[in-house]
Amino acid sequence: MRKVLVITYYWPPTGGSGVQRWLKFAKYLPTEGWQPVIYTPSNPEQLAVDESLLEEVPSTVEVLKRPIREPYAIYHKLTGRDSEKGAGVNPINSQKKSRKQKLMLWVRSNFFVPDPRAGWVKPSVKFLKEYLREHPVDVIVTTGPPQSVHLIGRNLKRATGVPWVADFRDPWTKMFYFKDLPLLPWVRRRHFRLEKSVLDEASAIVSVTPRVRADFASMTSTPVHLITNGYDEQDFATPLPERTDGKFRVVHTGLFASDGNPVELWNALARLCSESEDFASRLEIRLAGKVDPEIVEAITDAGLGDKLILLGYLPHPESVTELRQADVILLPLRHGPEYSKVYPGKIFECMAAADGRALPAPPQSSRTPVVLGIGPTGSAAAELLRSTGTGTMFDWDSDPSGFIRDIFNEGFSHNFADGHSEQCEKSSVAAYSRKALSARMAALLQEL
């Protein structure tokens, strides 16, 4: 059995599909002949932690934990993240901020490069160099963000010569919020230099979307591979009874940031309520996870406050159940041209829920949810929904009333105005299962 050292900030992860990425690889890589060793902080700053996910990881997976010193506790206390607008799910955005928030964001951006976890790099390299002398591995993998973990991998490769894979769950300087960082010119240049050194010195680069892969490939001669995020078939293995409550559920799970607020959707739902007493009596807007206050305010302002159910953070199995029992699964992208290149991590579970044929436990009803995306119709996420026949994307200022009305009246039959086939092949979604993706990752590790 070969060994791979995985350096990650999130262990156990939050419920999001992206940060679950290496937990799922750790679950399935041993069946492909690779034994992961996880290195992670013992005291990370996270929005939420789902300890139940660790039950999926084989007991043979070794986990190394070392303390990290980071400024987020002080930052959150001073900015009042949980109480002020513009400082919730995604404090680095273009939303209006108080003077205090602007000052703290400036300090965070210019004193901690590439991110507030940068202080973990030097002690981690020292510890892991000593560990690897006694416990050699075949490959090192760093998965970010935070991008500072890639500096650990770079320095370990310099010191040991062990092949190193830099796994980018998100871009670095082309991340959608990078432009909103109030960076001094020399700090901005340093980001580009650090990014370039990681790309050039890695043995291989991994990206999770085709467009980001193309961006990285244009910046380096290092091989850049595409291994997306995905869904775990076992998360969908429990049969669900057919719903009998008669409600029309619009469901969102995970982080719901203010810079992804689909205002036109709320207005469309309000219009449908005014047109139909039946729709008004049956509509439920179910939000599971961390929700910025601007989202709740917009729903209330649209007159839908009595339709809103805030479920709070749910364990991952319950979150998946919400998707499977939805009528409409909401997938809003965030504003900004950079975001059109990425896949939201949750998109794969949304697609799996919307295509029951790809699951080990198909829904009892012939009716499955539809994914309603809000964002650029030419985005990578829009292309993925179209290609799998699991949903469609509406622009931010488009009116989805007709689409929602049709789903409410008739259900979703995979018919699209753009002529997409009424049926999609099962493999089009199954290709994104965690098992299939783990086999691809194992093949890359084997090459190295």
Side-chain angles (χ1 to χ4, degrees):
M1 180 84 67
R2 294 183 179 273
K3 285 192 174 184
V4 54
L5 173 65
V6 181
I7 303 171
T8 176
Y9 181 81
Y10 297 100
W11 196 276
T14 59
S17 176
V19 293
Q20 284 182 35
R21 178 176 175 83
W22 273 95
L23 181 138
K24 298 295 186 177
F25 281 143
K27 177 180 178 179
Y28 289 114
L29 278 176
T31 64
E32 301 289 339
W34 283 87
Q35 184 63 54
V37 177
I38 307 298
Y39 176 75
T40 190
S42 58
N43 57 329
E45 171 74 18
Q46 296 180 232
L47 286 174
V49 174
D50 192 343
E51 295 282 352
S52 67
L53 289 169
L54 291 180
E55 298 174 4
E56 303 180 25
V57 181
S59 59
T60 54
V61 173
E62 182 180 4
V63 180
L64 309 173
K65 292 190 175 184
R66 300 285 291 175
I68 183 173
R69 297 180 65 183
E70 51 187 334
Y72 269 126
I74 298 174
Y75 174 83
H76 292 156
K77 183 176 182 179
L78 292 176
T79 59
R81 180 184 68 180
D82 293 329
S83 59
E84 293 189 60
K85 291 183 180 180
V89 170
N90 178 32
I92 310 172
N93 56 37
S94 57
Q95 304 296 310
K96 291 183 179 180
K97 297 177 176 61
S98 66
R99 290 183 180 180
K100 181 171 61 176
Q101 290 169 346
K102 290 179 179 178
L103 174 61
M104 296 308 297
L105 182 58
W106 187 91
V107 171
R108 175 244 187 258
S109 301
N110 292 286
F111 281 76
F112 304 95
V113 182
D115 51 61
R117 282 82 187 218
W120 198 46
V121 173
K122 187 176 292 186
S124 294
V125 172
K126 180 180 179 181
F127 169 79
L128 290 172
K129 282 170 61 178
E130 296 175 358
Y131 174 85
L132 292 173
R133 289 192 188 100
E134 299 294 328
H135 308 86
V137 299
D138 298 280
V139 182
I140 296 169
V141 173
T142 53
T143 179
Q147 311 298 10
S148 55
V149 300
H150 297 311
L151 303 184
I152 300 174
R154 182 197 65 179
N155 293 352
L156 284 177
K157 187 191 177 189
R158 288 175 178 177
T160 67
V162 176
W164 159 50
V165 177
D167 178 51
F168 283 89
R169 301 190 313 274
D170 286 314
W172 188 330
T173 58
K174 294 189 178 182
M175 186 61 176
F176 66 95
Y177 58 69
F178 186 77
K179 66 182 182 302
D180 296 316
L181 292 171
L183 299 173
L184 295 170
W186 71 269
V187 175
R188 185 174 297 273
R189 291 193 296 269
R190 188 180 177 202
H191 272 278
F192 283 100
R193 287 196 304 270
L194 290 174
E195 179 185 43
K196 180 65 172 171
S197 73
V198 166
L199 295 177
D200 288 347
E201 296 187 46
S203 306
I205 305 294
V206 174
S207 173
V208 297
T209 72
R211 298 187 190 184
V212 175
R213 176 189 178 277
D215 282 344
F216 281 140
S218 70
M219 300 164 62
T220 183
S221 60
T222 303
V224 185
H225 303 263
L226 175 65
I227 303 178
T228 68
N229 290 315
Y231 71 96
D232 192 339
E233 289 179 338
Q234 290 189 4
D235 292 340
F236 294 80
T238 304
L240 296 177
E242 185 172 359
R243 276 180 41 216
T244 58
D245 60 4
K247 294 296 185 179
F248 183 74
R249 295 185 178 183
V250 177
V251 173
H252 181 278
T253 64
L255 306 180
F256 205 159
S258 58
D259 54 352
N261 191 2
V263 176
E264 285 304 314
L265 171 65
W266 310 137
N267 293 335
L269 292 174
R271 285 193 295 272
L272 291 171
C273 285
S274 65
E275 294 173 5
S276 167
E277 291 184 5
D278 185 29
F279 185 88
S281 65
R282 293 172 57 190
L283 175 65
E284 281 187 350
I285 303 171
R286 301 171 66 88
L287 307 184
K290 179 73 174 180
V291 180
D292 272 348
E294 291 88 341
I295 305 295
V296 176
E297 183 178 289
I299 294 172
T300 304
D301 289 347
L304 300 171
D306 61 329
K307 315 298 181 186
L308 176 62
I309 300 176
L310 293 172
L311 300 168
Y313 182 79
L314 297 178
H316 187 248
E318 295 180 31
S319 178
V320 170
T321 297
E322 284 293 323
L323 295 178
R324 297 172 68 189
Q325 294 190 321
D327 293 285
V328 174
I329 298 173
L330 181 58
L331 186 73
L333 305 186
R334 294 178 179 178
H335 286 281
E338 300 88 354
Y339 202 74
S340 66
K341 297 180 180 181
V342 304
Y343 296 146
K346 74 186 77 174
I347 193 172
F348 300 99
E349 290 183 343
C350 294
M351 293 190 311
D355 185 4
R357 293 165 299 168
L359 304 178
Q364 298 298 309
S365 170
S366 60
R367 177 167 176 165
T368 55
V370 54
V371 182
L372 173 57
I374 305 293
T377 56
S379 63
E383 292 176 359
L384 190 58
L385 293 178
R386 284 194 294 267
S387 68
T388 56
T390 52
T392 193
M393 187 77 66
F394 279 80
D395 274 318
W396 290 104
D397 54 358
S398 296
D399 181 4
S401 298
F403 186 75
I404 297 171
R405 186 187 298 110
D406 288 345
I407 298 169
F408 178 74
N409 291 330
E410 302 173 11
F412 182 56
S413 60
H414 297 283
N415 289 318
F416 292 96
D418 62 6
H420 185 77
S421 171
E422 186 170 325
Q423 297 293 328
C424 63
E425 295 296 328
K426 176 178 177 179
S427 61
S428 64
V429 173
Y432 301 103
S433 74
R434 297 289 190 179
K435 285 184 179 179
L437 296 168
S438 295
R440 294 182 59 187
M441 180 60 73
L444 172 58
L445 299 178
Q446 189 64 39
E447 286 182 21
L448 298 178

